[in-house]
Amino acid sequence: MLNTATGRQAHILEIVREEGFASIEHLAARFDVTQQTIRRLVNALCDQGLLRRIHGGVSLPVQNQNLAYGSRQGLNANAKRRIAHATARFIPDGASLMIGLGTTPEYVAQALSRRHDLRVITNNLNVAAAFAQNPDVEITIAGGTLRPLDRDIVGEAAARFFAGFRADYGIFGVGGVDQDGTLLDFHVDEVQARQSIVANSRTAVLVADTTKFGRNATVRGGHLEDCHHLFTDGPLPPAFQPITARYAGRIHATGDARADSERLRHT
């Protein structure tokens, strides 16, 4: 995998998250490639907002806001699809679901969109649209002020909305996860909505690809211990090994589909 551009980029992200900074020279030596090759790889990561160019190398971005929704939809799309299909296999027909904001929950909705006898409670218009053509799904949508670029409702209105229900499963994403397991987002309003989903679901399901681990979002709210299940696309970065060990029974990585499927049958 490390011989592919995608594999090298994933490894570069791990290095920068663990060390905080990596020079172009160091990365070129690490991968035994030219500095020009490394620049192409890190430039692509910087263009996606995952790294920040500084003199002589790259560091983690200082982020006060998330990327635009349209940009996030295509970011790590294959990883999000794998997470979505694994999550969909976990959800039985006949379940009630709270589904939160973000692109990965939207992918989960698309994977569930042809299922039977679901009740969906959401603050995410993209999620509602994914189910809209299926008459076997009952959809309830939060009222409030719409964030037009994200197509969702957040804050106190969304928190009160979710508090009016009790769902079998709550499915939600995050802006980032800190090394101690703290869940992070970019706005207080996003945290309010997410925490209401957790509080009002019997089973809390976090869906997050591995790029979220170590990502700098600024607003704290919740912890991995609040999540009954985490669906992700592969092993967590090395800096998260203590978290991996502590929550091994809750982490379902799509890179190990056979083992994960067996574990889910006994959960």
Side-chain angles (χ1 to χ4, degrees), residues 84-118:
H85 287 295
T87 306
R89 290 193 295 271
F90 178 61
I91 303 298
D93 286 345
S96 57
L97 312 174
M98 290 181 178
I99 305 182
L101 59 90
T103 59
T104 308
E106 180 188 352
Y107 275 89
V108 174
Q110 292 168 358
L112 288 166
S113 63
R114 291 186 173 86
R115 297 285 289 277
H116 300 288
D117 193 26
L118 296 179

Side-chain angles (χ1 to χ4, degrees), residues 176-184 212-215 220 240 243:
V177 183
D178 210 353
Q179 287 187 22
D180 65 356
T182 299
L183 305 183
L184 305 170
K212 297 295 180 69
F213 290 83
R215 189 180 185 207
R220 297 165 59 96
F240 285 81
I243 290 292

Side-chain angles (χ1 to χ4, degrees), residues 1-17 27 30-31 33 37-38 41-42 44-45 48 50-51 76 78 82 210-211 233 235 238:
M1 180 179 177
L2 291 182
N3 290 326
T4 68
T6 301
R8 286 172 177 164
Q9 286 176 324
H11 197 196
I12 288 169
L13 285 172
E14 288 184 11
I15 292 169
V16 177
R17 288 191 184 113
L27 291 172
R30 184 86 170 253
F31 291 97
V33 297
T37 296
I38 289 297
L41 295 171
V42 300
L45 292 169
Q48 295 174 60
L50 299 174
L51 292 179
N76 303 316
N78 289 334
R82 295 199 306 273
T210 53
T211 67
D233 59 305

Side-chain angles (χ1 to χ4, degrees), residues 148-168:
L149 296 180
D150 294 281
R151 302 187 72 197
D152 58 27
I153 293 95
V154 294
E156 292 183 7
R160 289 194 301 269
F161 166 73
F162 288 121
F165 300 90
R166 185 69 169 170
D168 297 322

